[in-house]
Amino acid sequence: MAQLEKLLLVLARSLVDEPEKVEVSGTESDSRVELELRVAPADMGRVIGRQGRTIRAIRTVVKAASVKAGKRVTVEVPD
């Protein structure tokens, strides 16, 4: 799970204006990993993107990385 958190952190930090405020937390069960991405309120639009395209792309990359670990992953961005 640490690798998935690190990947999400690197992806998100490369997109935002305030990379020091990016936080990733996660919980793991037998076959599932749930990651939560928090960014500065001003950077929320950058992470979500137009019509959610950016966050969808981030989820796709993290999901592809999770296949190697044999886990299902969800990425949430709380308001």
Side-chain angles (χ1 to χ4, degrees), residues 14-39:
S14 67
L15 294 172
V16 298
D17 288 331
E18 299 180 57
E20 67 281 352
K21 292 191 177 179
V22 174
E23 295 177 13
V24 175
S25 59
T27 59
E28 184 175 9
S29 64
D30 340 329
S31 63
R32 182 165 213 85
V33 176
E34 293 180 20
L35 299 175
E36 192 173 271
L37 173 64
R38 293 186 183 274
V39 296

Side-chain angles (χ1 to χ4, degrees), residues 1-71:
M1 181 175 83
Q3 290 177 338
L4 296 175
E5 286 180 1
K6 196 175 213 178
L7 173 63
L8 182 56
L9 196 63
V10 168
L11 290 172
R13 282 185 175 166
S14 67
L15 294 172
V16 298
D17 288 331
E18 299 180 57
E20 67 281 352
K21 292 191 177 179
V22 174
E23 295 177 13
V24 175
S25 59
T27 59
E28 184 175 9
S29 64
D30 340 329
S31 63
R32 182 165 213 85
V33 176
E34 293 180 20
L35 299 175
E36 192 173 271
L37 173 64
R38 293 186 183 274
V39 296
D43 289 327
M44 191 67 76
R46 287 179 164 277
V47 170
I48 294 174
R50 288 201 174 140
Q51 297 181 353
R53 287 189 185 124
T54 305
I55 191 62
R56 198 174 318 128
I58 290 171
R59 287 178 175 140
T60 301
V61 171
V62 174
K63 184 177 179 181
S66 73
V67 170
K68 189 174 182 180
K71 305 253 182 192

